[in-house]
């Protein structure tokens, strides 16, 4: 069965001026369980239209809809799409959504309009094929070894109970193993050739450090035949049932530390380790930044609205890395690496579009861009490290912006501190 890859960037924004919709409610409407559950719902529900698959049609669909006072969804509209069949699929899935928690303003439930982008992408034409000879050689080299896996390992293949039915790794997946945490990295898009574009999710799937256990029949995760060259991981499948992972069986996964590791994923790891900003550089952008919020006007007053989800950006000499934190408790993040061009200290070219920069000070800037419909959005960015839990994994110790000081001195007049609306979650850019 051909695997279809669906990726999406999540953007939830209040639309100003929509009839009977509160411009900036005190509390935003929310999908049951939050952003992470919304993404899980989309992952389960979206299906690639067969005709679009056969024709190789890909692209971004942007829908808008209203969350009513009772949490129901209405007024679903397509704002942008490469094909009506993709739009129809996105609308179908939105129509399946359960009731949301409605927006609240002045103690009353109110209507609010949201935009939700979907990016439909077919899998890359080339994919990793299981090299049985290499897997057999790796199995021989690590047989009987009892070391704890540490470092970056790639999934090579897997087998079922008793070592039967070897399968190729139909997904590009890695484990980044440390003494305290194991992050599972799954690649969603790897543009071939010299283009650095690269999409992946990062999740603390195992919720533990992977250490040698030696067990082979325990329904908990078992690590055996483990060394610096690779390891085997066994788990009991009681959560799914498909052609790759039949239910009710033990699945053994084989990971290698030195077989066809993508240089692009190594570049992402280096960025997360902050291996950037070479000595003597004069580029003011190098390093990690945190999006404090979106600047807007409410009743004629300047306001700073926080983003719906935490967003960080790491700038390097020729690429930048978006780091969306989707679920803090599970260390669930979405990373996108793309090329960047620095035209000047006041102009960046990201993803083919101009971003105008206004510096507040050396550690704060405003970034303005066209949302795609002629609307100019201005974001406020502050120099910051990634959240501490990720820095513990990647071995860095960079101060994290906590929001204690006023990031825009005198911008709001006098010495008044920035005061985002309580409980509000403002819009995020469709990137």
């Amino acid at each position: 069965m051909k695997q279809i890859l669906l990726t999406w960037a999540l953007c939830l924004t209040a639309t100003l001026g929509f009839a009977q919709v509160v411009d900036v409610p005190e509390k935003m409407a929310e999908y049951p369980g939050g952003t992470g559950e919304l993404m899980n719902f989309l992952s389960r529900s979206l299906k690639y239209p067969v005709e679009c698959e056969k024709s190789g049609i890909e692209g971004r669909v942007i829908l808008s809809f209203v969350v009513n006072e009772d949490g129901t969804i209405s007024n679903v509209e397509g704002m942008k799409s490469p094909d009506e069949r993709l739009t129809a699929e996105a609308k179908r899935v939105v129509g399946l959504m359960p009731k949301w928690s409605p927006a609240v303003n002045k103690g009353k439930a109110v209507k609010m309009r949201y935009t939700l982008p979907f990016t439909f992408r077919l899998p890359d034409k080339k994919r990793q094929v299981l090299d049985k000879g290499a897997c057999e050689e790796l199995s021989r080299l690590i047989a009987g070894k009892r070391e704890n896996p540490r470092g970056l390992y790639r999934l090579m293949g897997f087998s079922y109970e008793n070592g039967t039915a070897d399968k190729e790794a139909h997904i590009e997946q890695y484990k980044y193993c440390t003494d305290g945490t194991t992050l599972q990295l799954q690649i969603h898009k790897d543009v071939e050739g010299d283009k650095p574009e690269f999409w992946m999710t990062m999740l603390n799937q195992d919720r533990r450090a992977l250490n040698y256990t030696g067990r082979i029949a325990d329904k908990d995760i078992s690590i055996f035949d483990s060394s610096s060259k690779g390891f085997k991981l066994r788990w009991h499948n009681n959560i799914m049932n498909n052609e790759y992972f039949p239910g009710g069986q033990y699945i053994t996964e084989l990971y290698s530390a030195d077989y066809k590791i993508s240089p692009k994923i190594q570049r992402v790891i280096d960025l997360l380790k902050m291996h950037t900003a070479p000595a003597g550089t004069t580029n003011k952008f190098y390093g990690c930044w945190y999006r404090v919020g979106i600047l807007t006007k409410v009743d004629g007053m300047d306001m700073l609205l926080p983003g719906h989800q935490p967003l960080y950006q790491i700038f390097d000499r020729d690429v930048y890395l978006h780091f969306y934190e989707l679920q803090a408790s599970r260390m669930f993040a979405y990373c996108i690496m793309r090329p960047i061009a620095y035209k000047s200290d006041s102009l960046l070219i990201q993803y083919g579009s101009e971003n105008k920069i206004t510096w507040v000070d050396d550690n704060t800037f405003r970034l303005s861009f066209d949302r795609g419909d002629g609307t100019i959005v201005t974001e406020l960015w502050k120099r910051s490290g990634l959240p501490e839990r990720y820095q513990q994994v990647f071995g860095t110790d960079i101060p994290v912006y906590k929001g204690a000081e006023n990031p825009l001195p005198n911008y709001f007049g006098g010495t008044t501190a920035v005061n985002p609306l309580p409980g509000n979650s403002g819009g995020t850019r469709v990137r």
Side-chain angles (χ1 to χ4, degrees):
M1 179 179 72
K2 188 174 182 179
Q3 183 192 16
I4 301 299
L5 177 63
L6 295 172
T7 64
W8 56 89
L10 186 59
C11 174
L12 305 178
T13 62
T15 302
L16 303 180
F18 184 80
Q20 298 181 343
V21 174
V22 175
D23 292 344
V24 186
E26 295 173 358
K27 181 180 179 182
M28 298 283 281
E30 185 178 43
Y31 183 87
T35 301
E37 287 303 315
L38 174 57
M39 295 194 70
N40 290 336
F41 167 79
L42 295 176
S43 179
R44 295 191 304 268
S45 305
L46 279 167
K47 299 184 184 301
Y48 215 113
V50 175
E51 293 181 356
C52 292
E53 175 191 347
K54 292 180 178 179
S55 302
I57 297 174
E58 301 178 304
R60 178 180 294 162
V61 175
I62 301 178
L63 298 184
S64 69
F65 55 87
V66 171
V67 180
N68 296 307
E69 297 95 326
D70 61 356
T72 58
I73 303 297
S74 66
N75 299 87
V76 182
E77 300 176 2
M79 300 173 63
K80 180 181 178 181
S81 176
D83 191 281
E84 286 302 316
R85 290 165 292 187
L86 296 181
T87 303
E89 172 59 15
K91 286 184 176 180
R92 181 190 70 82
V93 172
V94 169
L96 297 175
M97 287 182 178
K99 286 186 176 182
W100 288 45
S101 297
V104 176
N105 198 57
K106 296 180 180 179
K108 295 182 179 180
V110 295
K111 291 183 178 181
M112 183 161 205
R113 175 168 287 273
Y114 277 76
T115 57
L116 181 60
F118 306 79
T119 300
F120 288 81
R121 295 194 186 279
L122 293 163
D124 295 335
K125 294 180 180 179
K126 295 182 180 180
R127 65 174 183 173
Q128 173 67 32
V129 176
L130 177 64
D131 185 332
K132 289 184 179 294
C135 289
E136 290 173 356
E137 175 64 13
L138 177 61
S139 294
R140 185 187 67 79
L141 288 173
I142 65 177
K145 304 296 184 182
R146 300 185 176 187
E147 301 173 24
N148 295 330
R150 293 296 180 266
L152 183 65
Y153 297 79
R154 179 171 182 167
L155 176 64
M156 295 293 298
F158 50 89
S159 61
Y160 305 139
E161 291 182 14
N162 302 320
T164 59
D166 288 342
K167 295 284 187 179
E168 66 179 276
H170 62 288
I171 54 177
E172 187 174 354
Q173 178 174 295
Y174 296 79
K175 298 279 191 183
Y176 187 76
C177 304
T178 72
D179 287 336
T181 305
T182 301
L183 289 180
Q184 182 167 296
L185 314 178
Q186 187 167 328
I187 311 311
H188 293 283
K189 181 183 178 184
D190 186 353
V191 178
E192 297 177 5
D194 296 331
K195 295 181 180 180
E197 189 168 347
F198 191 87
W199 302 40
M200 78 174 191
T201 53
M202 182 162 47
L203 176 65
N204 184 12
Q205 177 71 28
D206 302 303
R207 303 195 180 191
R208 73 193 72 185
L210 291 185
N211 295 321
Y212 174 81
T213 62
R215 300 187 302 270
I216 59 173
D218 197 317
K219 290 189 177 181
D220 197 2
I221 295 175
S222 175
I223 305 297
F224 60 102
D225 287 350
S226 177
S227 77
S228 59
K229 295 184 178 297
F231 67 92
K232 291 182 179 179
L233 180 153
R234 180 169 292 172
W235 57 284
H236 189 266
N237 180 22
N238 58 358
I239 59 175
M240 67 184 80
N241 187 19
N242 57 44
E243 67 170 308
Y244 294 107
F245 300 114
Q249 291 201 36
Y250 286 97
I251 310 294
T252 300
E253 299 177 352
L254 176 64
Y255 285 85
S256 172
D258 56 5
Y259 179 77
K260 293 184 179 179
I261 297 293
S262 165
K264 292 180 182 178
I265 194 171
Q266 188 60 61
R267 183 78 183 274
V268 171
I269 296 296
D270 287 344
L271 286 169
L272 294 171
K273 289 181 175 180
M274 297 305 299
H275 290 176
T276 181
T281 182
T282 58
N283 191 322
K284 295 176 66 175
F285 295 97
Y286 275 11
C288 185
W289 299 78
Y290 170 68
R291 186 185 62 187
V292 181
I294 296 92
L295 290 166
T296 187
K297 287 185 179 292
V298 179
D299 295 332
M301 296 179 60
D302 291 309
M303 294 294 293
L304 179 63
L305 305 181
H308 182 78
Q309 59 203 57
L311 172 61
Y312 298 80
Q313 193 163 229
I314 301 174
F315 292 103
D316 202 3
R317 61 186 182 279
D318 57 349
V319 298
Y320 67 99
L321 182 71
H322 277 315
F323 183 95
Y324 294 91
E325 187 178 35
L326 301 177
Q327 283 187 353
S329 61
R330 299 187 66 192
M331 295 184 69
F332 183 20
Y334 194 61
C335 298
I336 306 174
M337 183 173 70
R338 288 189 176 124
I340 190 170
Y342 303 96
K343 295 300 182 181
S344 69
D345 284 348
S346 59
L347 182 63
L348 305 177
I349 306 298
Q350 292 179 282
Y351 202 39
S353 63
E354 291 188 350
N355 294 263
K356 296 181 179 179
I357 304 298
T358 303
W359 290 90
V360 177
D361 54 44
D362 287 343
N363 296 311
T364 313
F365 65 79
R366 294 195 292 269
L367 181 152
S368 300
F369 60 91
D370 188 326
R371 191 176 63 180
D373 59 1
T375 301
I376 302 300
V377 177
T378 300
E379 300 174 338
L380 179 68
W381 290 80
K382 189 79 174 176
R383 194 179 295 278
S384 171
L386 293 175
E388 287 93 339
R389 51 192 167 277
Y390 293 98
Q391 296 204 51
Q392 290 171 2
V393 171
F394 295 110
T396 59
D397 185 16
I398 301 172
V400 178
Y401 173 67
K402 300 293 187 180
E405 74 275 18
N406 182 354
L408 284 176
N410 301 319
Y411 183 79
F412 296 91
T415 58
T416 304
V418 175
N419 184 25
L421 297 178
N424 191 8
S425 298
T428 65
R429 179 183 182 180
V430 183
R431 298 184 186 268

